Amino acid sequence: QPWKRVRWGELAKWTPRQLGGLILFAASMGITNQVAKDQLTALKTSYDAGTAAVIQFYTASRATDTDTAIGAQTLLGTCTMNATSFGAPAGSAGADATITAAAITDDSSADATGTCTWCRISTQSGGTAISDHNCGTSSSDFVFNTVAFTSGSTISVTSFVITQPHV
């Protein structure tokens, strides 16, 4: 079916079947710094829902999305976040909002040897998946000196910052 622009008022007249195929998106949407901080506060609340969120590091390609179960990826190790995962959101008007993770407990003995490419954060060990992140030696959510993890070695996260753009 071809694309069709519809005014919001017209949607009230549509049947559930017509609404079922509807795709809504906001082109060029901007938000204020305060809204960006509110979104990060909601994310922080999700991380703090369990006893302590865990970060599990994997090899191979990232799962299709965070709702997708882990497949053939190899678990390299698990680090545990603080029970209060992040501090308060920071940022001022006209700037992006950020939250910085509190101390993260090392994995003192990596589970396997491999190249870390991504990680999944869950509410607690065996808990609900919250988010997936890229890992690398630069320009990634999780940055390490090396992503070549060795079985039995220590995995340390020195910094984890999430940025929510305001524009």
Side-chain angles (χ1 to χ4, degrees):
Q1 234 177 358
W3 290 92
K4 179 180 178 183
R5 287 182 169 248
V6 178
R7 295 187 184 277
W8 284 107
E10 293 176 41
L11 292 179
K13 301 174 191 171
W14 285 28
T15 66
R17 181 180 172 141
Q18 290 171 306
L19 289 171
L22 184 65
I23 300 172
L24 300 175
F25 59 92
S28 310
M29 183 179 95
I31 59 174
T32 66
N33 173 266
Q34 184 58 54
V35 171
K37 289 195 290 189
D38 292 345
Q39 290 175 339
L40 289 176
T41 297
L43 182 61
K44 177 187 175 322
T45 299
S46 294
Y47 285 121
D48 293 344
T51 54
V54 296
I55 309 163
Q56 295 181 302
F57 298 98
Y58 292 96
T59 63
S61 297
R62 192 168 151 175
T64 305
D65 57 47
T66 309
D67 291 319
T68 302
I70 304 300
Q73 299 90 341
T74 300
L75 175 64
L76 296 172
T78 303
C79 291
T80 304
M81 297 186 79
N82 194 300
T84 303
S85 58
F86 289 88
S92 57
D96 294 340
T98 62
I99 52 175
T100 301
I104 297 171
T105 304
D106 294 349
D107 181 336
S108 60
S109 181
D111 297 341
T113 297
T115 301
C116 178
T117 56
W118 69 286
C119 68
R120 174 163 289 173
I121 302 178
S122 301
T123 54
Q124 60 200 24
S125 182
T128 304
I130 301 167
S131 60
D132 291 344
H133 301 269
N134 291 327
C135 297
T137 55
S138 65
S139 303
S140 294
D141 296 342
F142 283 84
V143 177
F144 298 95
N145 290 333
T146 181
V147 290
F149 294 176
T150 304
S151 179
S153 67
T154 300
I155 298 173
S156 297
V157 177
T158 55
S159 177
F160 174 36
V161 177
I162 298 176
T163 301
Q164 176 62 43
H166 75 288
V167 176

